[in-house]
Amino acid sequence: MTKQSFIRGTMILLAAGILNRILGFIPRITLPRVIGAEGIGIYHMGWPFLSVILTIITGGIPIAIAKLIAEAEAERNELRIRSILRISLFLTIGLSVIFTFICLAGASWITSHLLTDSRVYYTFLCMSPMIPVIGVSAVYRGYFQGRQNMIPTATSQIMETLIRIVMVLVCSYVMIPYGIEYAAAGAMIGVLAGEIAGLVVLAIHFRYDKKSSQSLPIAPMNSNQVIGRLSHLRQILKISVPITGSKLIGASSYLFESILIAQSLAIAGISTSLATAQYGALQGMIIPIILLPSALTMSLSVSLIPSLSEAATRKDTKTIHMRLHQSLKLALVTGAPFTVLMFVLAEPICTYMYNQPDVAIMLKMMAPIAIFIYFQAPLQSTLQALNKPGAALVNTLIGSSVKLILIYWLASKPEMGIHGAVFAINVNIVLVTLLHWNSVVRLLKFRMEGSDFGKIGAAMVLSGLCSYLVMYTPWTSIDWLRFVTSCLIGFFIYLLIITLFRLIRVKDMTRLLDKGKRILP
């Protein structure tokens, strides 16, 4: 087993995350051109319900596996590691089979009564088999994460993305003559193919890993082993249930959000087909752009859990503070320039990516709030790693409740419509991030230098102003040239300012590049 340091593991996941985000935008850019905004709406409308199911199955178990295996690694207890993995697989597969059967048997009723658009039926049928595939994949990823070996996760994600790119476009294109609902279902078949490919890669890593292969044979159990496995099951449930509860609130909020948006838009006098198209534009076009820079924060969050868990086991408060500070500062420094460019260049981004400049207003509304998304992920992982998932649960519940109330109140107003829903989502993001920050500060007596926030804010304003002037000053009639130059100038000015402010140092970048050259064992 190849174990990586916190920084090295983060870099591996970051490299894979950036590649996946870039590749993932190929179908995101082309799919709306194949099936249109309404087809994207049908494609995405089933996801909120599926996310609730997947949260129940994978919400807390993989994190519990990573945490417990990291602790067992610190104790060098290989027998405990094997037991944790077996129990987790048994629990996840059992839940997956039950919920897959429920989804397939109840697909007609669910799509007719809960999802507000019966055309989602075929897409829902095609996505149901993903439940066991994603469940088992999540267990294996949690296992490798606990071992602090991020290579299997990275390679499986890349393979999953590559297969999905090809299959989503091929299947949707083949099915488009039969109607939009069939084209959306074809796209979902492509997603299923990608998930299966990712699981196959994880299984290959597991099979050919020396330590992992030792856990495959199941030895005859004696009474002590039975007691030990029951103890491990209790530990898994103790950690996973609050985490699952916290994520379930978010997933349920996502489901109710999709239902409330459709109902509120209907109250506002918007037709079902237009409401589906607007929802598709928000979830299938705008949100993916906002989440594009989160590749780093997601990588940091995955690496943080075993790193902080191991440090907490050693009662190493200094390391906990250092890792958290590194993660939050990196999240701010790397997320800030994307936030600026998404706000300043919203219209050309939506034009070049989707050929739909009319949805740019939603991107402009969400862009300033994006920095809170990037800041939120490491905070939530910290609470989970330090056995405070209950705090994350309460924070998420408060934010979700406020969001749903605001969606119903604002989106039902004819003058606001979908923009009211966007405003409500923004309020939720800011509120949950601030609540997570308060919980972490109270738990760890943690603080960051206020000057860091001020320096990053100044860099954002100056780089945004330069980018705006380059884009909207008619120094050339070639629009795409102004757009590309504006992006490059904005990034350059931002990098120059944060270097002058010493938010990053040249020697740190040199060390990071040196580590990158040795990223693979």
Side-chain angles (χ1 to χ4, degrees):
M1 174 67 66
T2 304
K3 179 177 178 179
Q4 294 102 27
S5 67
F6 171 73
I7 294 296
R8 192 180 184 192
T10 300
M11 287 183 64
I12 291 172
L13 290 179
L14 175 59
I18 292 175
L19 181 60
N20 286 334
R21 294 299 171 94
I22 294 173
L23 292 175
F25 261 90
I26 295 175
R28 289 191 185 279
I29 292 170
T30 54
L31 191 59
R33 300 172 188 266
V34 175
I35 64 177
E38 192 174 352
I40 292 293
I42 296 171
Y43 170 76
H44 278 279
M45 197 164 283
W47 278 111
F49 188 89
L50 183 67
S51 69
V52 172
I53 303 299
L54 292 176
T55 299
I56 295 172
I57 296 168
T58 68
I61 292 177
I63 293 174
I65 297 168
K67 178 176 172 55
L68 293 173
I69 287 180
E71 292 174 355
E73 279 268 289
E75 300 168 358
R76 300 185 181 277
N77 189 339
E78 188 66 29
L79 183 62
R80 183 185 173 198
I81 291 174
R82 299 177 201 168
S83 178
I84 291 168
L85 179 61
R86 289 195 192 100
I87 293 169
S88 302
L89 282 171
F90 177 80
L91 187 60
T92 300
I93 291 172
L95 289 172
S96 297
V97 170
I98 292 171
F99 281 106
T100 300
F101 176 77
I102 291 173
C103 288
L104 291 174
S108 179
W109 185 88
I110 292 169
T111 54
S112 298
H113 293 79
L114 294 182
L115 302 184
T116 70
D117 194 326
S118 59
R119 292 177 297 175
V120 185
Y121 175 74
Y122 296 107
T123 304
F124 192 83
L125 284 179
C126 293
M127 69 168 51
S128 296
M130 283 194 288
I131 294 173
V133 177
I134 294 175
V136 175
S137 295
V139 171
Y140 281 127
R141 284 172 180 154
Y143 168 80
F144 286 116
Q145 180 185 344
R147 293 279 202 177
Q148 298 189 45
N149 178 14
M150 306 305 174
I151 292 176
T153 296
T155 54
S156 67
Q157 288 174 344
I158 292 171
M159 179 59 69
E160 173 193 325
T161 302
L162 290 172
I163 298 299
R164 185 174 71 244
I165 289 172
V166 176
M167 295 303 296
V168 163
L169 296 177
V170 169
C171 294
S172 61
Y173 182 79
V174 169
M175 299 300 291
I176 191 67
Y178 300 97
I180 293 176
E181 61 268 37
Y182 291 97
M188 194 57 65
I189 292 174
V191 177
L192 173 60
E195 294 291 347
I196 293 173
L199 176 57
V200 170
V201 171
L202 286 170
I204 291 172
H205 276 286
F206 184 78
R207 180 179 178 84
Y208 288 98
D209 181 88
K210 184 177 180 180
K211 286 188 178 180
S212 298
S213 62
Q214 292 175 355
S215 67
L216 290 176
I218 302 177
M221 291 187 295
N222 55 42
S223 59
N224 291 332
Q225 287 175 315
V226 173
I227 294 172
R229 290 184 180 182
L230 290 175
S231 174
H232 295 153
L233 177 60
R234 284 194 295 269
Q235 288 179 314
I236 291 170
L237 294 176
K238 181 180 178 181
I239 297 171
S240 65
V241 169
I243 295 173
T244 299
S246 177
K247 291 190 173 185
L248 190 58
I249 290 174
S252 300
S253 170
Y254 182 32
L255 173 60
F256 292 135
E257 172 190 315
S258 66
I259 295 172
L260 275 178
I261 288 176
Q263 292 179 344
S264 299
L265 292 178
I267 294 173
I270 298 172
S271 65
T272 300
S273 60
L274 180 57
T276 300
Q278 290 182 339
Y279 180 77
L282 175 61
Q283 293 294 337
M285 300 179 190
I286 303 305
I287 298 295
I289 296 175
I290 293 292
L291 294 181
L292 178 62
S294 65
L296 174 62
T297 54
M298 293 299 106
S299 303
L300 289 169
S301 301
V302 171
S303 297
L304 259 182
I305 292 175
S307 180
L308 294 187
S309 297
E310 195 170 320
T313 301
R314 301 193 307 266
K315 301 187 184 302
D316 188 353
T317 305
K318 182 179 179 181
T319 297
I320 292 174
H321 278 247
M322 181 182 69
R323 296 297 187 218
L324 180 57
H325 187 269
Q326 287 175 336
S327 300
L328 293 176
K329 187 175 179 180
L330 274 172
L332 284 175
V333 169
T334 56
F338 292 98
T339 299
V340 171
L341 292 180
M342 286 186 293
F343 179 77
V344 173
L345 305 175
E347 186 170 337
I349 287 173
C350 293
T351 299
Y352 291 127
M353 290 190 68
Y354 306 121
N355 196 30
Q356 298 200 33
D358 54 312
V359 304
I361 183 63
M362 289 192 281
L363 179 59
K364 192 176 282 288
M365 288 178 66
M366 293 198 71
I369 307 302
I371 194 70
F372 288 89
I373 298 176
Y374 315 143
F375 199 66
Q376 183 183 123
L379 292 173
Q380 180 156 321
S381 291
T382 299
L383 293 173
Q384 292 167 351
L386 300 181
N387 293 321
K388 293 295 180 182
L393 173 64
V394 173
N395 297 341
T396 306
L397 178 60
I398 293 172
S400 298
S401 300
V402 171
K403 177 181 69 173
L404 294 176
I405 292 171
L406 287 176
I407 285 176
Y408 187 75
W409 178 41
L410 297 176
S412 60
K413 297 179 180 295
E415 66 273 19
M416 296 197 73
I418 192 68
H419 299 148
V422 173
F423 181 82
I425 293 170
N426 284 349
V427 171
N428 169 70
I429 293 168
V430 174
L431 181 58
V432 173
T433 302
L434 294 178
L435 290 173
H436 282 353
W437 169 258
N438 181 63
S439 298
V440 170
V441 169
R442 292 176 60 187
L443 175 64
L444 297 174
K445 304 296 185 289
F446 177 79
R447 63 185 295 271
M448 291 183 69
E449 292 292 335
S451 60
D452 287 347
F453 294 101
K455 291 174 182 178
I456 292 172
M460 292 173 69
V461 171
L462 292 174
S463 62
L465 180 60
C466 294
S467 182
Y468 179 87
L469 291 174
V470 172
M471 181 66 205
Y472 296 104
T473 300
W475 55 274
T476 176
S477 60
I478 305 174
D479 292 341
W480 68 264
L481 181 59
R482 291 206 311 273
F483 174 70
V484 173
T485 306
S486 176
C487 291
L488 294 176
I489 291 294
F491 273 115
F492 175 77
I493 296 298
Y494 178 82
L495 186 61
L496 178 62
I497 294 172
I498 63 173
T499 303
L500 291 175
F501 283 157
R502 295 189 177 183
L503 289 169
I504 61 170
R505 295 175 295 181
V506 175
K507 69 176 185 179
D508 291 336
M509 294 299 296
T510 304
R511 288 174 57 196
L512 199 62
L513 291 173
D514 288 340
K515 282 181 176 289
K517 295 175 183 178
R518 304 190 302 270
I519 200 71
L520 294 176

